[in-house]
Amino acid sequence: MTRRWPALRALLAVSGGVAAFALLVERVGLVPATFAATLLAGLAPSDAVPLRAFLHAVVVTVVITVLFLVVLMQPTRAFGGP
C-alpha cells in the first residue's frame, strides 16, 4: 500500500501542473501559469525539496518567457489576461 502513494502523488502533481497551466495561461498570463505548473510538477517526487522545486520553477519560467516572448515573439501576454 505504501508504494502506491508516491505514484499517486506524482500523478496528481503532474496532472495538477498541466491543469493549472491550462486554466491560468489565458487568465493571468504566461509567467504565472508557467511558474505554477512547474512548481506543482516539481513537487511530484516523494523526496521533493520545496526550495529546489521553487528555484527550478523560477529558472524554467525565465527560460520559457524569454523563448516564447522574445525569441519566438508569440502573441501572448507575460502577465494579465485578455
Side-chain angles (χ1 to χ4, degrees), residues 1-78:
M1 180 77 171
T2 59
R3 300 187 95 180
R4 292 183 186 174
W5 290 114
L8 180 61
R9 175 183 170 151
L11 176 68
L12 292 175
V14 172
S15 298
V18 171
F21 185 83
L23 293 172
L24 292 174
V25 71
E26 290 185 7
R27 290 183 176 94
V28 298
L30 181 67
V31 172
T34 302
F35 181 81
T38 308
L39 183 62
L40 284 171
L43 296 173
S46 59
D47 61 344
V49 178
L51 180 60
R52 184 177 293 162
F54 176 81
L55 294 174
H56 183 252
V58 169
V59 170
V60 168
T61 300
V62 168
V63 169
I64 291 298
T65 302
V66 169
L67 176 66
F68 280 90
L69 298 182
V70 177
V71 176
L72 297 175
M73 296 186 299
Q74 292 295 304
T76 188
R77 297 177 188 227

